[in-house]
């Protein structure tokens, strides 16, 4: 199954439509973890580990660039470079009619399409045999429920999930402010504010978080 290719959207784009910037950052961190590009440290921090993976997309690359110093996932959501990357991610979605004005919320058509893909790609029963793309798609579509099933230790160490489960009729991303229920109207404003520096990539990412395990396996 190659659901990402079938849908035609990147996992972080799907997550952005369903849960806002915190959900997009969650998916990016999972992607970097699966590539072994981040490691965890004390107090739920993450930092870059090893050389930058080949073929990394702009959004994930920006998140990785921000992790030259240890940051928590919540700090990443507020980082100026990540806020800018979210704004840039929204542009093609808005051009395709998936985000509407005035607050760049998902349109009714976008909500229906993502709901269709959630039903077409239900939460896997087990994690055995899943590809990295399958894992990313599951997290993008199902939030905390997928994180608890597929990446429980990584999600808990980094604060991507919180105690308690999501309501049966909702999708929850714990990283957000409160519960990002399915099709929540309020997104964190990521298109204003002082963004500061750019989002250029760097070659190698050296250094560690001081303690904690590396990425790539849960």
């Amino acid at each position: 199954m190659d659901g990402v290719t079938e849908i035609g959207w990147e996992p972080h784009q799907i997550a952005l439509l369903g849960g806002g910037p915190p959900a997009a950052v969650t998916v990016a961190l999972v992607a970097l973890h699966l590539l072994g590009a981040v490691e965890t440290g004390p107090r739920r921090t993450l930092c870059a580990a090893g050389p930058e993976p080949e073929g990394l997309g702009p959004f994930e690359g920006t998140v990785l660039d921000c992790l030259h110093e240890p940051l928590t996932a919540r700090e990443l959501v507020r980082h100026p470079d990540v806020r800018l990357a979210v704004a840039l991610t929204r542009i093609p979605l808005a051009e395709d009619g998936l985000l509407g004005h005035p607050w760049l919320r998902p349109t009714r058509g976008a909500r229906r399409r993502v709901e269709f893909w959630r039903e077409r790609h239900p939460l896997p029963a087990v994690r055995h045999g899943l590809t990295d793309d399958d894992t990313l798609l599951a997290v993008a579509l199902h939030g905390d429920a997928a994180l608890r099933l597929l990446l429980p230790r990584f999600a808990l160490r980094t604060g991507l999930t919180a105690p308690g489960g999501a309501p049966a009729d909702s999708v929850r991303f714990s990283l957000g402010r409160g519960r990002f229920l399915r099709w929540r109207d309020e997104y964190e404003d990521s298109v204003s504010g002082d963004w500061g520096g750019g989002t250029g990539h760097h070659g190698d990412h050296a250094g560690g978080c001081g303690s904690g395990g590396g990425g790539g396996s849960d």
Side-chain angles (χ1 to χ4, degrees), residues 32 52 56-66 199-202 205:
L32 294 171
E52 179 177 311
L56 202 61
F59 189 81
E60 291 83 1
T62 297
V63 171
L64 186 60
D65 284 344
C66 294
T199 58
H201 291 188
H202 300 272
H205 300 276

Side-chain angles (χ1 to χ4, degrees), residues 98-185:
L98 301 173
L99 296 174
H101 297 291
W103 303 114
L104 294 180
R105 297 169 179 165
T107 62
R108 181 176 299 178
R111 294 195 296 267
R112 287 175 175 172
R113 286 172 66 181
V114 176
E115 176 63 13
F116 170 79
W117 292 119
R118 284 192 73 248
E119 295 175 355
R120 187 174 178 87
H121 299 279
L123 186 67
V126 296
R127 44 182 175 167
H128 177 71
L130 294 181
T131 66
D132 287 353
D133 283 345
D134 291 336
T135 299
L136 288 174
L137 182 60
V139 173
L141 290 173
H142 299 282
D144 278 13
L147 288 169
R148 288 194 175 93
L149 173 66
L150 305 177
L151 301 156
R153 288 181 292 176
F154 176 73
L156 284 175
R157 287 198 303 263
T158 56
L160 295 179
T161 55
D169 61 348
S170 70
V171 175
R172 174 175 175 170
F173 287 91
S174 289
L175 184 54
R177 296 175 297 178
R179 290 181 177 179
F180 273 80
L181 299 183
R182 193 165 50 204
W183 320 135
R184 175 175 171 162
D185 288 334

Side-chain angles (χ1 to χ4, degrees), residues 72 79 81 85 95 98 100 104 107 116 125 145 169 185-186 191 209 212:
T72 66
H79 194 287
D81 288 355
E95 291 176 343
L98 301 173
L104 294 180
T107 62
F116 170 79
D169 61 348
D185 288 334
E186 242 179 87
V191 294
C209 291

Side-chain angles (χ1 to χ4, degrees), residues 2-17:
D2 191 354
V4 174
T5 301
E6 179 185 10
I7 292 175
W9 304 342
E10 295 294 327
H12 71 275
Q13 293 176 311
I14 299 170
L16 181 63
L17 290 171

